[in-house]
Amino acid sequence: MSPKAQQTFHHILDSAMACYLAKGVNRTTLDDVARKGNVSRTTLYRYIKNGDDLLHQVLIRDAGERLTECEQAMRYHNNLASTLVDSILFFMRGRSSRPVFQLLFENQQSDVNSKLRLTPDMFRPMTIKILEPFFQREQEKNNIRPGVTLEMATELICRITLSLMTFPAQFINDEKALRQFLETMLVPVIVNRT
């Protein structure tokens, strides 16, 4: 994609996000997005297939941005235990401040949840990308519990993260309690601390 095309594509995604936040996902039409972005429907259809594809592209872009930010935040970690805890804390911190997270999690009857079913599968590639180097290092040191594979650890982490993001309960405003919970309940399941 040329730089100008990328700029147009991101402008369309920004316009869609603004419409989603203002009107809700289910009430946002492609005409609304075209109007907000000051682009024609023809231009819009050069970049997206339909409304569902537009939502998907908005979510993918945000996930890529969040992954880059998380990788930067985790770059100084030297072990899997701290990476597990801090990467989940990182995503929880963004839960109430990132517009996409607001769409996904702020309202239990979210418009987005009616359009797409959030599952651990959606978060698996990102989780593997963050954890794999740390997991391999700990595996080489025999610090992974016997029988635990990267795939198993990823599945558990995705499920726990999705659960916490969807139903944060007391952890939404208490990072210390969440850290203690993760260090007590998650880390020992994966990391063999001898």
PDB file of all heavy atoms in Angstrom, residues 35-61:
ATOM      1  N   ARG A  35     -19.127   9.918   5.537  1.00  0.00           N
ATOM      2  CA  ARG A  35     -19.402  11.329   5.832  1.00  0.00           C
ATOM      3  C   ARG A  35     -18.383  11.879   6.831  1.00  0.00           C
ATOM      4  O   ARG A  35     -17.812  12.945   6.629  1.00  0.00           O
ATOM      5  CB  ARG A  35     -20.823  11.465   6.399  1.00  0.00           C
ATOM      6  CG  ARG A  35     -21.671  12.474   5.717  1.00  0.00           C
ATOM      7  CD  ARG A  35     -23.065  12.671   6.298  1.00  0.00           C
ATOM      8  NE  ARG A  35     -23.643  11.625   7.112  1.00  0.00           N
ATOM      9  CZ  ARG A  35     -24.333  10.571   6.631  1.00  0.00           C
ATOM     10  NH1 ARG A  35     -24.508  10.416   5.341  1.00  0.00           N
ATOM     11  NH2 ARG A  35     -24.843   9.685   7.456  1.00  0.00           N
ATOM     12  N   LYS A  36     -18.171  11.140   7.916  1.00  0.00           N
ATOM     13  CA  LYS A  36     -17.233  11.578   8.959  1.00  0.00           C
ATOM     14  C   LYS A  36     -15.825  11.739   8.380  1.00  0.00           C
ATOM     15  O   LYS A  36     -15.114  12.677   8.715  1.00  0.00           O
ATOM     16  CB  LYS A  36     -17.224  10.559  10.107  1.00  0.00           C
ATOM     17  CG  LYS A  36     -16.268  10.881  11.220  1.00  0.00           C
ATOM     18  CD  LYS A  36     -16.790  12.002  12.063  1.00  0.00           C
ATOM     19  CE  LYS A  36     -15.871  12.241  13.247  1.00  0.00           C
ATOM     20  NZ  LYS A  36     -16.175  13.478  13.925  1.00  0.00           N
ATOM     21  N   GLY A  37     -15.428  10.823   7.522  1.00  0.00           N
ATOM     22  CA  GLY A  37     -14.090  10.857   6.934  1.00  0.00           C
ATOM     23  C   GLY A  37     -13.980  11.732   5.704  1.00  0.00           C
ATOM     24  O   GLY A  37     -12.893  11.889   5.147  1.00  0.00           O
ATOM     25  N   ASN A  38     -15.121  12.266   5.269  1.00  0.00           N
ATOM     26  CA  ASN A  38     -15.148  13.096   4.069  1.00  0.00           C
ATOM     27  C   ASN A  38     -14.554  12.342   2.867  1.00  0.00           C
ATOM     28  O   ASN A  38     -13.724  12.869   2.124  1.00  0.00           O
ATOM     29  CB  ASN A  38     -14.425  14.425   4.311  1.00  0.00           C
ATOM     30  CG  ASN A  38     -14.821  15.474   3.311  1.00  0.00           C
ATOM     31  OD1 ASN A  38     -15.921  15.432   2.748  1.00  0.00           O
ATOM     32  ND2 ASN A  38     -13.926  16.421   3.065  1.00  0.00           N
ATOM     33  N   VAL A  39     -14.985  11.067   2.730  1.00  0.00           N
ATOM     34  CA  VAL A  39     -14.574  10.246   1.586  1.00  0.00           C
ATOM     35  C   VAL A  39     -15.836   9.680   0.937  1.00  0.00           C
ATOM     36  O   VAL A  39     -16.881   9.583   1.568  1.00  0.00           O
ATOM     37  CB  VAL A  39     -13.630   9.076   1.989  1.00  0.00           C
ATOM     38  CG1 VAL A  39     -12.325   9.599   2.560  1.00  0.00           C
ATOM     39  CG2 VAL A  39     -14.303   8.117   2.948  1.00  0.00           C
ATOM     40  N   SER A  40     -15.725   9.304  -0.307  1.00  0.00           N
ATOM     41  CA  SER A  40     -16.873   8.716  -1.001  1.00  0.00           C
ATOM     42  C   SER A  40     -17.019   7.245  -0.599  1.00  0.00           C
ATOM     43  O   SER A  40     -16.069   6.629  -0.103  1.00  0.00           O
ATOM     44  CB  SER A  40     -16.677   8.813  -2.516  1.00  0.00           C
ATOM     45  OG  SER A  40     -15.628   7.944  -2.915  1.00  0.00           O
ATOM     46  N   ARG A  41     -18.204   6.711  -0.823  1.00  0.00           N
ATOM     47  CA  ARG A  41     -18.416   5.278  -0.568  1.00  0.00           C
ATOM     48  C   ARG A  41     -17.498   4.446  -1.469  1.00  0.00           C
ATOM     49  O   ARG A  41     -17.025   3.392  -1.071  1.00  0.00           O
ATOM     50  CB  ARG A  41     -19.884   4.902  -0.786  1.00  0.00           C
ATOM     51  CG  ARG A  41     -20.751   5.252   0.403  1.00  0.00           C
ATOM     52  CD  ARG A  41     -22.176   4.782   0.201  1.00  0.00           C
ATOM     53  NE  ARG A  41     -22.298   3.351   0.114  1.00  0.00           N
ATOM     54  CZ  ARG A  41     -22.701   2.555   1.105  1.00  0.00           C
ATOM     55  NH1 ARG A  41     -23.016   3.065   2.263  1.00  0.00           N
ATOM     56  NH2 ARG A  41     -22.801   1.267   0.921  1.00  0.00           N
ATOM     57  N   THR A  42     -17.251   4.914  -2.681  1.00  0.00           N
ATOM     58  CA  THR A  42     -16.349   4.204  -3.589  1.00  0.00           C
ATOM     59  C   THR A  42     -14.963   4.092  -2.968  1.00  0.00           C
ATOM     60  O   THR A  42     -14.349   3.019  -2.976  1.00  0.00           O
ATOM     61  CB  THR A  42     -16.269   4.936  -4.954  1.00  0.00           C
ATOM     62  OG1 THR A  42     -17.591   5.056  -5.479  1.00  0.00           O
ATOM     63  CG2 THR A  42     -15.377   4.202  -5.917  1.00  0.00           C
ATOM     64  N   THR A  43     -14.472   5.192  -2.417  1.00  0.00           N
ATOM     65  CA  THR A  43     -13.167   5.174  -1.751  1.00  0.00           C
ATOM     66  C   THR A  43     -13.210   4.222  -0.560  1.00  0.00           C
ATOM     67  O   THR A  43     -12.282   3.427  -0.360  1.00  0.00           O
ATOM     68  CB  THR A  43     -12.772   6.596  -1.290  1.00  0.00           C
ATOM     69  OG1 THR A  43     -12.697   7.437  -2.432  1.00  0.00           O
ATOM     70  CG2 THR A  43     -11.456   6.584  -0.547  1.00  0.00           C
ATOM     71  N   LEU A  44     -14.276   4.288   0.200  1.00  0.00           N
ATOM     72  CA  LEU A  44     -14.424   3.414   1.364  1.00  0.00           C
ATOM     73  C   LEU A  44     -14.318   1.942   0.947  1.00  0.00           C
ATOM     74  O   LEU A  44     -13.583   1.164   1.562  1.00  0.00           O
ATOM     75  CB  LEU A  44     -15.782   3.697   2.017  1.00  0.00           C
ATOM     76  CG  LEU A  44     -16.021   3.216   3.427  1.00  0.00           C
ATOM     77  CD1 LEU A  44     -15.080   3.890   4.403  1.00  0.00           C
ATOM     78  CD2 LEU A  44     -17.461   3.509   3.816  1.00  0.00           C
ATOM     79  N   TYR A  45     -15.010   1.579  -0.131  1.00  0.00           N
ATOM     80  CA  TYR A  45     -15.020   0.181  -0.577  1.00  0.00           C
ATOM     81  C   TYR A  45     -13.703  -0.264  -1.222  1.00  0.00           C
ATOM     82  O   TYR A  45     -13.488  -1.452  -1.403  1.00  0.00           O
ATOM     83  CB  TYR A  45     -16.201  -0.090  -1.517  1.00  0.00           C
ATOM     84  CG  TYR A  45     -17.476  -0.318  -0.756  1.00  0.00           C
ATOM     85  CD1 TYR A  45     -18.514   0.606  -0.792  1.00  0.00           C
ATOM     86  CD2 TYR A  45     -17.646  -1.460   0.022  1.00  0.00           C
ATOM     87  CE1 TYR A  45     -19.681   0.399  -0.089  1.00  0.00           C
ATOM     88  CE2 TYR A  45     -18.807  -1.679   0.735  1.00  0.00           C
ATOM     89  CZ  TYR A  45     -19.823  -0.743   0.678  1.00  0.00           C
ATOM     90  OH  TYR A  45     -20.975  -0.961   1.380  1.00  0.00           O
ATOM     91  N   ARG A  46     -12.834   0.671  -1.533  1.00  0.00           N
ATOM     92  CA  ARG A  46     -11.494   0.281  -1.993  1.00  0.00           C
ATOM     93  C   ARG A  46     -10.684  -0.322  -0.850  1.00  0.00           C
ATOM     94  O   ARG A  46      -9.745  -1.078  -1.079  1.00  0.00           O
ATOM     95  CB  ARG A  46     -10.735   1.490  -2.533  1.00  0.00           C
ATOM     96  CG  ARG A  46     -11.107   1.877  -3.910  1.00  0.00           C
ATOM     97  CD  ARG A  46     -10.157   2.949  -4.455  1.00  0.00           C
ATOM     98  NE  ARG A  46     -10.812   3.625  -5.543  1.00  0.00           N
ATOM     99  CZ  ARG A  46     -10.993   4.935  -5.630  1.00  0.00           C
ATOM    100  NH1 ARG A  46     -10.505   5.730  -4.716  1.00  0.00           N
ATOM    101  NH2 ARG A  46     -11.632   5.444  -6.647  1.00  0.00           N
ATOM    102  N   TYR A  47     -11.048   0.042   0.373  1.00  0.00           N
ATOM    103  CA  TYR A  47     -10.261  -0.358   1.541  1.00  0.00           C
ATOM    104  C   TYR A  47     -10.938  -1.405   2.413  1.00  0.00           C
ATOM    105  O   TYR A  47     -10.265  -2.109   3.156  1.00  0.00           O
ATOM    106  CB  TYR A  47      -9.931   0.879   2.388  1.00  0.00           C
ATOM    107  CG  TYR A  47      -9.054   1.847   1.647  1.00  0.00           C
ATOM    108  CD1 TYR A  47      -9.603   2.887   0.901  1.00  0.00           C
ATOM    109  CD2 TYR A  47      -7.676   1.697   1.671  1.00  0.00           C
ATOM    110  CE1 TYR A  47      -8.790   3.765   0.207  1.00  0.00           C
ATOM    111  CE2 TYR A  47      -6.858   2.575   0.979  1.00  0.00           C
ATOM    112  CZ  TYR A  47      -7.419   3.605   0.241  1.00  0.00           C
ATOM    113  OH  TYR A  47      -6.607   4.460  -0.449  1.00  0.00           O
ATOM    114  N   ILE A  48     -12.241  -1.495   2.341  1.00  0.00           N
ATOM    115  CA  ILE A  48     -12.968  -2.457   3.183  1.00  0.00           C
ATOM    116  C   ILE A  48     -14.057  -3.146   2.361  1.00  0.00           C
ATOM    117  O   ILE A  48     -14.531  -2.605   1.362  1.00  0.00           O
ATOM    118  CB  ILE A  48     -13.587  -1.782   4.429  1.00  0.00           C
ATOM    119  CG1 ILE A  48     -14.498  -0.603   4.032  1.00  0.00           C
ATOM    120  CG2 ILE A  48     -12.516  -1.296   5.373  1.00  0.00           C
ATOM    121  CD1 ILE A  48     -15.838  -0.742   4.592  1.00  0.00           C
ATOM    122  N   LYS A  49     -14.445  -4.335   2.819  1.00  0.00           N
ATOM    123  CA  LYS A  49     -15.463  -5.108   2.098  1.00  0.00           C
ATOM    124  C   LYS A  49     -16.880  -4.722   2.516  1.00  0.00           C
ATOM    125  O   LYS A  49     -17.779  -4.649   1.700  1.00  0.00           O
ATOM    126  CB  LYS A  49     -15.260  -6.604   2.368  1.00  0.00           C
ATOM    127  CG  LYS A  49     -13.959  -7.146   1.856  1.00  0.00           C
ATOM    128  CD  LYS A  49     -13.797  -8.602   2.275  1.00  0.00           C
ATOM    129  CE  LYS A  49     -12.376  -9.027   2.014  1.00  0.00           C
ATOM    130  NZ  LYS A  49     -11.908 -10.039   2.905  1.00  0.00           N
ATOM    131  N   ASN A  50     -17.063  -4.546   3.840  1.00  0.00           N
ATOM    132  CA  ASN A  50     -18.383  -4.266   4.390  1.00  0.00           C
ATOM    133  C   ASN A  50     -18.218  -3.755   5.829  1.00  0.00           C
ATOM    134  O   ASN A  50     -17.093  -3.578   6.295  1.00  0.00           O
ATOM    135  CB  ASN A  50     -19.269  -5.530   4.342  1.00  0.00           C
ATOM    136  CG  ASN A  50     -18.596  -6.715   5.015  1.00  0.00           C
ATOM    137  OD1 ASN A  50     -17.988  -6.597   6.072  1.00  0.00           O
ATOM    138  ND2 ASN A  50     -18.702  -7.877   4.387  1.00  0.00           N
ATOM    139  N   GLY A  51     -19.331  -3.562   6.499  1.00  0.00           N
ATOM    140  CA  GLY A  51     -19.285  -3.041   7.864  1.00  0.00           C
ATOM    141  C   GLY A  51     -18.541  -3.947   8.835  1.00  0.00           C
ATOM    142  O   GLY A  51     -17.804  -3.465   9.710  1.00  0.00           O
ATOM    143  N   ASP A  52     -18.727  -5.245   8.708  1.00  0.00           N
ATOM    144  CA  ASP A  52     -18.025  -6.181   9.594  1.00  0.00           C
ATOM    145  C   ASP A  52     -16.520  -6.139   9.351  1.00  0.00           C
ATOM    146  O   ASP A  52     -15.727  -6.192  10.295  1.00  0.00           O
ATOM    147  CB  ASP A  52     -18.547  -7.609   9.403  1.00  0.00           C
ATOM    148  CG  ASP A  52     -19.959  -7.783   9.941  1.00  0.00           C
ATOM    149  OD1 ASP A  52     -20.410  -6.936  10.745  1.00  0.00           O
ATOM    150  OD2 ASP A  52     -20.612  -8.777   9.562  1.00  0.00           O
ATOM    151  N   ASP A  53     -16.129  -6.038   8.085  1.00  0.00           N
ATOM    152  CA  ASP A  53     -14.709  -5.944   7.757  1.00  0.00           C
ATOM    153  C   ASP A  53     -14.118  -4.652   8.324  1.00  0.00           C
ATOM    154  O   ASP A  53     -12.992  -4.646   8.828  1.00  0.00           O
ATOM    155  CB  ASP A  53     -14.512  -6.001   6.241  1.00  0.00           C
ATOM    156  CG  ASP A  53     -13.042  -5.969   5.846  1.00  0.00           C
ATOM    157  OD1 ASP A  53     -12.240  -6.705   6.455  1.00  0.00           O
ATOM    158  OD2 ASP A  53     -12.701  -5.195   4.934  1.00  0.00           O
ATOM    159  N   LEU A  54     -14.875  -3.577   8.265  1.00  0.00           N
ATOM    160  CA  LEU A  54     -14.402  -2.302   8.819  1.00  0.00           C
ATOM    161  C   LEU A  54     -14.143  -2.442  10.317  1.00  0.00           C
ATOM    162  O   LEU A  54     -13.079  -2.038  10.808  1.00  0.00           O
ATOM    163  CB  LEU A  54     -15.419  -1.191   8.540  1.00  0.00           C
ATOM    164  CG  LEU A  54     -15.072   0.187   9.085  1.00  0.00           C
ATOM    165  CD1 LEU A  54     -13.760   0.700   8.514  1.00  0.00           C
ATOM    166  CD2 LEU A  54     -16.213   1.170   8.775  1.00  0.00           C
ATOM    167  N   LEU A  55     -15.094  -3.009  11.037  1.00  0.00           N
ATOM    168  CA  LEU A  55     -14.907  -3.225  12.483  1.00  0.00           C
ATOM    169  C   LEU A  55     -13.683  -4.099  12.721  1.00  0.00           C
ATOM    170  O   LEU A  55     -12.849  -3.796  13.587  1.00  0.00           O
ATOM    171  CB  LEU A  55     -16.160  -3.860  13.086  1.00  0.00           C
ATOM    172  CG  LEU A  55     -16.052  -4.265  14.560  1.00  0.00           C
ATOM    173  CD1 LEU A  55     -15.762  -3.064  15.445  1.00  0.00           C
ATOM    174  CD2 LEU A  55     -17.337  -4.970  14.999  1.00  0.00           C
ATOM    175  N   HIS A  56     -13.564  -5.154  11.960  1.00  0.00           N
ATOM    176  CA  HIS A  56     -12.429  -6.071  12.102  1.00  0.00           C
ATOM    177  C   HIS A  56     -11.110  -5.323  11.874  1.00  0.00           C
ATOM    178  O   HIS A  56     -10.148  -5.497  12.620  1.00  0.00           O
ATOM    179  CB  HIS A  56     -12.588  -7.227  11.108  1.00  0.00           C
ATOM    180  CG  HIS A  56     -11.536  -8.263  11.199  1.00  0.00           C
ATOM    181  ND1 HIS A  56     -11.478  -9.194  12.215  1.00  0.00           N
ATOM    182  CD2 HIS A  56     -10.466  -8.503  10.411  1.00  0.00           C
ATOM    183  CE1 HIS A  56     -10.423  -9.963  12.038  1.00  0.00           C
ATOM    184  NE2 HIS A  56      -9.785  -9.566  10.949  1.00  0.00           N
ATOM    185  N   GLN A  57     -11.057  -4.475  10.851  1.00  0.00           N
ATOM    186  CA  GLN A  57      -9.832  -3.715  10.557  1.00  0.00           C
ATOM    187  C   GLN A  57      -9.497  -2.732  11.680  1.00  0.00           C
ATOM    188  O   GLN A  57      -8.329  -2.538  12.016  1.00  0.00           O
ATOM    189  CB  GLN A  57      -9.961  -2.971   9.222  1.00  0.00           C
ATOM    190  CG  GLN A  57     -10.053  -3.864   8.010  1.00  0.00           C
ATOM    191  CD  GLN A  57      -8.849  -4.774   7.851  1.00  0.00           C
ATOM    192  OE1 GLN A  57      -7.729  -4.413   8.175  1.00  0.00           O
ATOM    193  NE2 GLN A  57      -9.097  -5.974   7.360  1.00  0.00           N
ATOM    194  N   VAL A  58     -10.517  -2.113  12.272  1.00  0.00           N
ATOM    195  CA  VAL A  58     -10.292  -1.213  13.408  1.00  0.00           C
ATOM    196  C   VAL A  58      -9.683  -1.997  14.571  1.00  0.00           C
ATOM    197  O   VAL A  58      -8.707  -1.564  15.194  1.00  0.00           O
ATOM    198  CB  VAL A  58     -11.617  -0.520  13.837  1.00  0.00           C
ATOM    199  CG1 VAL A  58     -11.477   0.150  15.193  1.00  0.00           C
ATOM    200  CG2 VAL A  58     -12.053   0.492  12.782  1.00  0.00           C
ATOM    201  N   LEU A  59     -10.242  -3.174  14.846  1.00  0.00           N
ATOM    202  CA  LEU A  59      -9.739  -3.997  15.953  1.00  0.00           C
ATOM    203  C   LEU A  59      -8.321  -4.498  15.682  1.00  0.00           C
ATOM    204  O   LEU A  59      -7.471  -4.506  16.572  1.00  0.00           O
ATOM    205  CB  LEU A  59     -10.678  -5.179  16.207  1.00  0.00           C
ATOM    206  CG  LEU A  59     -12.089  -4.816  16.682  1.00  0.00           C
ATOM    207  CD1 LEU A  59     -12.955  -6.067  16.787  1.00  0.00           C
ATOM    208  CD2 LEU A  59     -12.062  -4.051  17.988  1.00  0.00           C
ATOM    209  N   ILE A  60      -8.046  -4.902  14.444  1.00  0.00           N
ATOM    210  CA  ILE A  60      -6.712  -5.398  14.083  1.00  0.00           C
ATOM    211  C   ILE A  60      -5.667  -4.301  14.235  1.00  0.00           C
ATOM    212  O   ILE A  60      -4.576  -4.531  14.730  1.00  0.00           O
ATOM    213  CB  ILE A  60      -6.720  -5.955  12.646  1.00  0.00           C
ATOM    214  CG1 ILE A  60      -7.533  -7.197  12.633  1.00  0.00           C
ATOM    215  CG2 ILE A  60      -5.322  -6.125  12.106  1.00  0.00           C
ATOM    216  CD1 ILE A  60      -7.111  -8.286  11.748  1.00  0.00           C
ATOM    217  N   ARG A  61      -6.007  -3.118  13.767  1.00  0.00           N
ATOM    218  CA  ARG A  61      -5.043  -2.013  13.886  1.00  0.00           C
ATOM    219  C   ARG A  61      -4.731  -1.737  15.349  1.00  0.00           C
ATOM    220  O   ARG A  61      -3.575  -1.582  15.739  1.00  0.00           O
ATOM    221  CB  ARG A  61      -5.574  -0.741  13.213  1.00  0.00           C
ATOM    222  CG  ARG A  61      -4.573   0.414  13.348  1.00  0.00           C
ATOM    223  CD  ARG A  61      -5.039   1.694  12.759  1.00  0.00           C
ATOM    224  NE  ARG A  61      -6.162   2.265  13.480  1.00  0.00           N
ATOM    225  CZ  ARG A  61      -6.613   3.490  13.280  1.00  0.00           C
ATOM    226  NH1 ARG A  61      -6.060   4.264  12.369  1.00  0.00           N
ATOM    227  NH2 ARG A  61      -7.627   3.955  13.956  1.00  0.00           N
TER     228      ARG A  61
END
